[in-house]
Amino acid sequence: MKSPPMHLNSALTSSTQSIQIATQIFASPLRYDLNWTPHPYLASSWEFSEDKKSLTLHLVPEATFHDGKPVTSEDVAFSILTIKQNHPFKTMFAPVTAVDTPDPHTAVIRLSHPHPAILLCLSPPLCPVLPKHVYGDGQDIRTHPKNIAPIGSGPFRFVEMKAGEYAILEKNPTFFLKNRPVLDKVIFKFIKDPSSRMMAMSQGEAQLFPLMENTRNIARLKKEAHLAVTNRGYEGIGGHTWLEFNLRKKELSDIRVRKAINHAINRGFIIEKLHNNLSSSSTGPLTPQSPFYEPKVESYPYDLKKAQALLDEAGCKPGKDGVRFSLTLDFEPGLPEQQKMVAEYLKSQLRRVGIDVQLRSSPDWASWAERVSNWNHDMTLAIMFSWGDPVIGTHRSYISGNIRKGVAYSNMSGYHNARVDELLSQAAQEMDPVRRKELYGEFQKIVVADAPMAYLNLIPFNTVYDKRVQNVFTSIWGPLSPMDTVYMK
């Protein structure tokens, strides 16, 4: 792993560093395969009420926490309500009004309206089942001492975590799924230096490197005879890079300017030259791996003459120096191929159509987030994850009700379209997948035409692993899934 997690309680965070470890420690009610199909985990079965406003989970009776206490419906209720109150993804459990516990192995989730994303919300990265007897002791959940030494009911038990160096988990001998896990121990190493991470994989000191996005490193490790590379298992995460416009700025409030910038970007150059042909083009709010993806949206082919004509039409005439206007461009620190290198390319490219771009780097993610979430920017590159269902990861960037100053990854552009609000509200409650796909299809067409962002490329996440490692990975959540079926030849 590139950096150590702040803690291991994934009920409080969307950090992939935390989730990778937490899903080994905590079990969840459901899990998903590579075909977006839910499967039993802590819940052996489930059913919706006729009006779809309640979901009943039937828990496996034999599940226990690592301290030997049984997993009950009280723990499920406590966990869902804790996540609702503390997790940054507010839409996940926003419709949950209560969780009834008629008996120890039955939990009934009450909803204010039908919630088509609820099953996905109950899967490993998003719904760790916490032991109420541990975390419900009256201490602040956000600073609870067990966040760094957690007790769960997952396939591996926490042993030790040394700050900045490693976390050690061992096989849970009382895991409720028979003959699992297969591995006796999992050691997560935190290696900040990129060269050291590469060396660890190359020399066999590490056997698994997930969430690798640096295309040069991917290409290099592909040549190692003992290693394999796969991009499977990232369908749920759905990462892509976009250029987000602050629509409060005079020039960027004009749709012709935004469309001009779109036409001035050669996405093929980004993919071929900057990403070694290992990334692919992003065409809109959803990635092609999403069941709701709509490919027939407005396209913005590379066309400098069209870009210049649109800028002329918008009244942005070039001065004697050829400059029409100036904009600042921020970008997220880290992931240089996806951010800094793309920012430098955009600076040179937009200068060709008369837009002077000043790049602003940030010393760390918090500094970048503070600036752009408070709207003190013109444009910013950002990396966004879909998180499986649009309700979870996509709505937040487009609904006008989520224009929240000071909150990163909200609707930071200030985009407001009444029809989009209406479509997303309907899609958040539509249980028919066919009708839901139609709603999201219209949403994607409108947003791409409105161009509050310029969609650039999908993040080329890959997993590099020793060829002796098997069953990598078997879920849309990839490295954010329990590794109970992973084994070494």
Side-chain angles (χ1 to χ4, degrees), residues 34-143:
L34 285 167
N35 297 314
W36 297 84
T37 302
H39 291 270
Y41 198 12
L42 277 174
S44 59
S45 63
W46 57 88
E47 69 268 354
F48 284 98
S49 60
E50 188 174 349
D51 64 2
K52 310 299 184 187
K53 292 172 69 173
S54 67
L55 172 66
T56 300
L57 304 177
H58 302 283
L59 306 182
V60 296
E62 61 271 23
T64 60
F65 289 107
H66 300 152
D67 60 3
K69 302 287 187 181
V71 178
T72 72
S73 56
E74 291 282 348
D75 300 301
V76 173
F78 172 79
S79 301
I80 290 173
L81 297 177
T82 297
I83 294 167
K84 176 178 178 174
Q85 184 176 356
N86 294 281
H87 199 281
F89 295 168
K90 298 301 182 186
T91 53
M92 281 199 305
F93 292 124
V96 175
T97 58
V99 182
D100 297 340
T101 55
D103 64 60
H105 298 117
T106 305
V108 184
I109 304 171
R110 304 294 184 185
L111 304 167
S112 58
H113 59 71
H115 185 23
I118 186 65
L119 294 181
L120 196 72
C121 295
L122 296 172
S123 61
L126 305 172
C127 189
V129 173
L130 311 175
K132 183 179 179 180
H133 65 275
V134 173
Y135 289 97
D137 61 357
Q139 299 186 66
D140 185 348
I141 188 73
R142 292 191 165 275
T143 57

Side-chain angles (χ1 to χ4, degrees), residues 14 86-91 142 242 244 248 365-377 380 382 384 392 395-414:
S14 61
N86 294 281
H87 199 281
F89 295 168
K90 298 301 182 186
T91 53
R142 292 191 165 275
W242 65 41
E244 183 168 314
R248 305 165 190 86
W365 181 88
S367 301
W368 170 84
E370 192 278 333
R371 178 184 290 164
V372 300
S373 69
N374 284 290
W375 315 332
N376 296 319
H377 70 295
T380 186
M384 293 294 292
I392 302 169
H395 287 209
R396 55 184 167 154
S397 298
Y398 302 96
I399 54 176
S400 60
N402 203 38
I403 299 174
R404 304 163 62 197
K405 194 170 188 178
V407 180
Y409 301 124
S410 59
N411 184 345
M412 298 189 301
S413 68

Side-chain angles (χ1 to χ4, degrees), residues 227-372:
L227 298 177
V229 180
T230 181
N231 61 4
R232 294 297 304 275
Y234 292 98
E235 294 82 359
I237 298 171
H240 50 167
T241 295
W242 65 41
L243 174 65
E244 183 168 314
F245 305 120
N246 185 347
L247 305 188
R248 305 165 190 86
K249 301 298 178 178
K250 178 183 175 182
E251 292 85 3
L252 296 174
S253 67
D254 192 318
I255 192 172
R256 293 168 294 187
V257 172
R258 303 196 300 272
K259 287 180 179 288
I261 292 173
N262 266 281
H263 282 295
I265 300 170
N266 184 349
R267 292 159 179 81
F269 179 89
I270 294 173
I271 291 165
E272 180 182 350
K273 301 299 183 181
L274 302 185
H275 299 159
N276 299 290
N277 281 318
L278 288 176
S279 69
S280 55
S281 182
S282 174
T283 60
L286 300 181
T287 66
Q289 292 78 23
S290 169
F292 306 107
Y293 175 69
E294 174 53 67
K296 296 179 181 178
V297 296
E298 183 172 343
S299 63
Y300 294 95
Y302 178 52
D303 190 333
L304 292 179
K305 288 184 178 179
K306 187 167 186 176
Q308 291 168 334
L310 283 166
L311 291 169
D312 289 339
E313 185 183 326
C316 302
K317 303 295 184 181
K320 292 182 180 180
D321 58 357
V323 175
R324 300 173 188 269
F325 55 86
S326 296
L327 296 171
T328 59
L329 172 57
D330 290 273
F331 54 91
E332 293 190 45
L335 305 185
E337 279 192 353
Q338 301 299 319
Q339 295 287 292
K340 187 174 186 291
M341 290 169 59
V342 174
E344 291 169 344
Y345 164 74
L346 293 177
K347 174 182 171 69
S348 64
Q349 196 65 14
L350 293 181
R351 185 63 179 82
R352 298 181 67 182
V353 296
I355 301 175
D356 175 60
V357 175
Q358 299 298 316
L359 300 186
R360 294 196 303 187
S361 61
S362 298
D364 49 45
W365 181 88
S367 301
W368 170 84
E370 192 278 333
R371 178 184 290 164
V372 300

Side-chain angles (χ1 to χ4, degrees), residues 375-396:
W375 315 332
N376 296 319
H377 70 295
D378 298 334
M379 306 183 294
T380 186
L381 286 170
I383 291 174
M384 293 294 292
F385 292 169
S386 298
W387 287 105
D389 193 284
V391 167
I392 302 169
T394 303
H395 287 209
R396 55 184 167 154

